[in-house]
Every structure is written in structure tokens, then in C-alpha cells.
Amino acid sequence: MTIDQTVFLIATALLLSTIIVIYFGRKGLLDARDLPYFMLRRARVTQSWRVILLGLILGIASLLTYTMGRRAAYVIYPPTPSVTPTQTVTPTPTQTLVPSITPTASITPIPSSTATATVTPTPRLPEEIRILIRETVTPNPEALFSPIEVADRLNGFNQAINPQDDFFSPQGRLFGAFSYNNLQDGIRWTAIWYFRDEILCLETQPWDGGTGGYGYTECDPESWQPGRYDIQLFYGDEWKGSTYFEVIPDQSGEN
């Protein structure tokens, strides 16, 4: 459950409590009219007004929770968005000029020039997933995801417990946890788990987690083979972040 959903649930519960408490307070005022004795009637009226006052306090609490609860929650559990990484280009040009001088005083320069450059391409959605995206709303360009943390457990706020880069023969599912900000419900998001350039797990669906908070993707294959695994996140068709981890075979039982 996201922070937005939790705040909305608490505000709704307080609002329902307000309605119930005020109803019983009003009912007490009406019932007090039928009491024959003045002292009993006054005691019932006083008690009913106290119940109504409690209902008003719950109503104010519901309003404050709905309007300010998310902001207060982010103060306690702030999201940690990261700026969308860009491709890096590492040029490594080299140039070597080797002149040679002959005995007849003629100079024959023999230049050699070798320039190489390596580019790390930006991950792209597979074409079979891209054709599913038919967005009618342009995704917010300021949408951010934090670095992905891989763990085998999450806490109640969808945060990774003891995230690691290496796992020794894990059993069961693993989680890729992240925080996010400036997202829009209804925009398709995609999480892809790769193993040896093959898709191991895939999650793609319209986003429904609110504008900010903590989320995760998960993968539960039949078994985790030794090697490197990559996780890629996309919002719409735009790449928003990647991480990788290693699965190392457990050799504790070997001699």
C-alpha cells in the first residue's frame, strides 16, 4: 500500500467516525426531551453535546489528514528520487605521427591516426511491449525514480530490507524497490528482469500508485541460475533507471 492510499484510508475512517459520533450525539439530544426529570434531562443534554464536540474534532482531524497527511508522511519518510541518467560517451582518440627522413633530404611524413569511441546505448523497450503503449496523456517529463535496490524482503512501506548486489543461491522471489515522484496514474509503466539478455520476468500495466511514494517490482522464477541479472524501469516508453545484481552459487556444501 502506498503513502497516498494510506493517507486516504485514514482520512476516510476519521470521516466515517465523525458521522457516526455526531449521529449518536444528535440522537441523545432528541431523547433528552422525553425525560421527565430536569436533572436527568440536563445530564443527558450535556453528555450529548460532548459527543457532538468529539465528532467535530474527528471531522477536523479527517480534513487535516486529507489535506496535509501526505506532506507530513513525506517529512518522516522522504522519497529519494534521482535524476534520469543519460548515455555516456567515452572517446579515446589516439594519433601518432611518425616522420621519416631519407639521406637525400626528402621528408616523407607517414601519419597514422586511429580514433575509437565507445557509447553505452540507452535501454529501449522491446518492440512487442512498445506496441501496447497507446498513451492519450503525455507522461510528466519531471517523473523521477530512485536507484533500484534489490532484496528478498520489504517492510510495510515497500522499502528494501538489507538490499544487496550479490545473492548466494536465493530461494523464492526477489524485489526491486524504489521511490518515485511526480508520476501520473494511468500512464503505463514497465519493469523488465533480464538474465543473459533474455527476459526472465516482465511487469507492465497502467500506473496506480499516486504521484509519490515507494514502490517495487518482483520476480519469482522457478530457480535463480548463477550469473548477472539486470532490471530496467520504463515510464511510458522512456527509460527511467536500471540496476544489476549477481547470483552466486552456494559452495558451502562442497569439500
Side-chain angles (χ1 to χ4, degrees):
M1 182 178 295
T2 65
I3 292 178
D4 287 359
Q5 293 170 338
T6 302
V7 170
F8 178 78
L9 182 61
I10 294 175
T12 302
L14 289 173
L15 180 60
L16 292 177
S17 300
T18 299
I19 296 173
I20 294 173
V21 170
I22 291 179
Y23 168 78
F24 281 106
R26 182 176 179 276
K27 186 175 183 299
L29 290 176
L30 296 177
D31 294 342
R33 298 177 181 178
D34 300 329
L35 294 176
Y37 300 105
F38 172 76
M39 295 298 294
L40 292 177
R41 187 164 56 249
R42 185 174 69 176
R44 178 66 62 85
V45 169
T46 301
Q47 182 181 12
S48 299
W49 278 113
R50 290 176 178 173
V51 172
I52 292 175
L53 178 60
L54 175 61
L56 294 176
I57 293 175
L58 290 174
I60 294 173
S62 174
L63 179 61
L64 291 177
T65 300
Y66 184 78
T67 57
M68 302 178 63
R70 188 177 65 183
R71 186 181 306 172
Y74 288 164
V75 171
I76 301 175
Y77 298 99
T80 56
S82 64
V83 178
T84 303
T86 59
Q87 66 180 18
T88 59
V89 180
T90 308
T92 56
T94 61
Q95 182 173 359
T96 305
L97 184 63
V98 184
S100 63
I101 303 176
T102 65
T104 58
S106 63
I107 301 176
T108 306
I110 308 175
S112 65
S113 176
T114 304
T116 60
T118 61
V119 179
T120 302
T122 300
R124 295 173 57 86
L125 276 174
E127 190 60 31
E128 60 270 22
I129 301 175
R130 183 183 297 275
I131 63 176
L132 298 176
I133 300 178
R134 295 291 185 270
E135 304 295 354
T136 59
V137 179
T138 302
N140 187 352
E142 297 182 356
L144 297 175
F145 288 82
S146 72
I148 306 167
E149 295 183 332
V150 184
D152 57 3
R153 291 184 301 156
L154 301 177
N155 62 18
F157 292 96
N158 295 334
Q159 295 172 305
I161 298 176
N162 189 25
Q164 302 178 55
D165 296 327
D166 300 318
F167 294 86
F168 291 90
S169 299
Q171 302 296 322
R173 75 182 62 186
L174 293 179
F175 300 91
F178 52 86
S179 63
Y180 57 90
N181 199 17
N182 300 325
L183 269 63
Q184 301 164 266
D185 286 343
I187 303 296
R188 180 172 292 273
W189 77 289
T190 303
I192 308 176
W193 297 60
Y194 284 100
F195 176 61
R196 295 176 181 172
D197 297 326
E198 298 290 336
I199 296 179
L200 180 66
C201 292
L202 171 66
E203 183 176 4
T204 178
Q205 60 187 359
W207 181 261
D208 61 356
T211 58
Y214 296 90
Y216 65 91
T217 176
E218 61 182 88
C219 186
D220 189 9
E222 293 183 359
S223 63
W224 294 97
Q225 300 298 320
R228 168 172 165 154
Y229 293 77
D230 294 84
I231 306 175
Q232 297 178 2
L233 286 183
F234 297 86
Y235 185 58
D237 61 354
E238 183 180 358
W239 171 63
K240 287 297 184 180
S242 300
T243 192
Y244 71 90
F245 62 94
E246 296 277 348
V247 171
I248 302 173
D250 189 358
Q251 301 178 354
S252 59
E254 298 182 0
N255 293 329

